Amino acid sequence: MQQLSLLKEGLPSSSAGEARREGEKVRQAVPASEKAEPMLVGLMEQVVERGNLIRAWKRVRANKGSPGVDGMTVDDLTGYLKESWPRIREELLRGEYQPQPVREVLIPKPGGGTRRLGIPAVLDRLIQQAILQVLDPVYDPTFSDHSYGFRPRRRAHQAVEQAKRYIAEGYEWVVDMDLEKFFDRVNHDILMGKLARRIGDKRVLRVIRR
């Protein structure tokens, strides 16, 4: 609680120029035509909004995790934000924020070989989480109802229960597929192009790209 109090002190109060409070809808620009998807604007103001950042900090703290390249731990983050957050916030709002390099760790696989794991700096994990909290309500409703991985309010047990229902309905075949090293090989240009179809805030796109 003491660290959360320090974090609240380190974060500036919401200004008139900041976007919505919790519960309000994402602001959208008027589409160029009726067929065009609405472009999401003013997202970075929502990312750096005080309430959003406090929720992001709670999640990062709960996840713990190892330090990144700068050696900063989750416990160190509160004091650092108290001193440096105004500068970081301005860099984000100006579109000038530069994430730190990701620390690479090789994790042994049970069947042999290794798996590459990237560990961002704890400050960058905070900013990633803050961005995720703004984009999740936009993108998650567009995903398949049959997708259970890495989504809010969904878990593996729900997938198991669905599989049991399929068995009860008489289905007998299971197809198992794995996209080997997907995150190592995925085309980032294609991914960024898809994000740019909805996200009209170039500052957010720039941080995601970096």
Side-chain angles (χ1 to χ4, degrees):
M1 290 301 293
Q2 181 181 5
Q3 290 182 333
L4 178 58
S5 176
L6 286 173
L7 176 64
K8 289 181 178 179
E9 293 175 8
L11 293 174
S13 299
S14 299
S15 63
E18 287 184 338
R20 61 168 175 85
R21 301 297 183 267
E22 243 178 302
E24 293 181 6
K25 293 182 178 179
V26 174
R27 294 189 290 124
Q28 297 181 348
V30 178
S33 68
E34 292 183 357
K35 294 183 179 180
E37 288 186 318
M39 294 294 287
L40 305 171
V41 299
L43 293 180
M44 187 58 79
E45 280 76 13
Q46 297 176 41
V47 170
V48 302
E49 194 268 330
R50 188 168 179 266
N52 186 53
L53 283 163
I54 290 175
R55 288 193 296 120
W57 179 85
K58 289 179 179 179
R59 177 59 62 88
V60 169
R61 180 161 180 77
N63 290 341
K64 298 181 181 179
S66 301
V69 294
D70 59 358
M72 183 182 297
T73 66
V74 174
D75 292 332
D76 297 332
L77 181 60
T78 303
Y80 178 77
L81 288 176
K82 187 175 181 180
E83 177 180 345
S84 304
W85 176 248
R87 171 185 57 80
I88 297 168
R89 179 179 181 276
E90 287 305 311
E91 289 178 358
L92 287 166
L93 290 174
R94 291 196 304 265
E96 299 173 356
Y97 180 77
Q98 289 282 356
Q100 297 187 62
V102 174
R103 181 165 73 92
E104 183 184 64
V105 177
L106 298 178
I107 307 297
K109 290 184 177 181
T114 58
R115 178 171 63 90
R116 296 170 61 194
L117 177 66
I119 303 178
V122 64
L123 172 62
D124 291 330
R125 298 207 296 270
L126 173 71
I127 294 172
Q128 288 175 6
Q129 180 63 35
I131 293 174
L132 175 66
Q133 290 170 180
V134 171
L135 296 185
D136 242 355
V138 175
Y139 284 99
D140 189 73
T142 70
F143 296 157
S144 169
D145 288 337
H146 305 286
S147 172
Y148 296 93
F150 303 100
R151 295 179 62 186
R153 296 172 297 281
R154 287 175 177 255
R155 58 188 188 277
H157 289 91
Q158 293 171 315
V160 173
E161 291 301 319
Q162 182 61 60
K164 290 180 179 177
R165 287 192 287 270
Y166 288 144
I167 294 172
E169 291 171 6
Y171 291 95
E172 298 178 349
W173 289 88
V174 175
V175 179
D176 182 22
M177 293 183 293
D178 181 25
L179 298 176
E180 184 180 3
K181 296 184 178 179
F182 171 79
F183 291 106
D184 293 337
R185 299 170 178 170
V186 64
N187 188 310
H188 287 194
D189 290 332
I190 293 177
L191 287 181
M192 292 304 304
K194 290 184 177 294
L195 288 177
R197 293 178 186 175
R198 293 296 314 278
I199 299 176
D201 192 326
K202 294 186 182 300
R203 300 167 300 178
V204 173
L205 292 173
R206 204 170 291 133
V207 171
I208 294 174
R209 165 73 78 173
R210 290 171 177 169

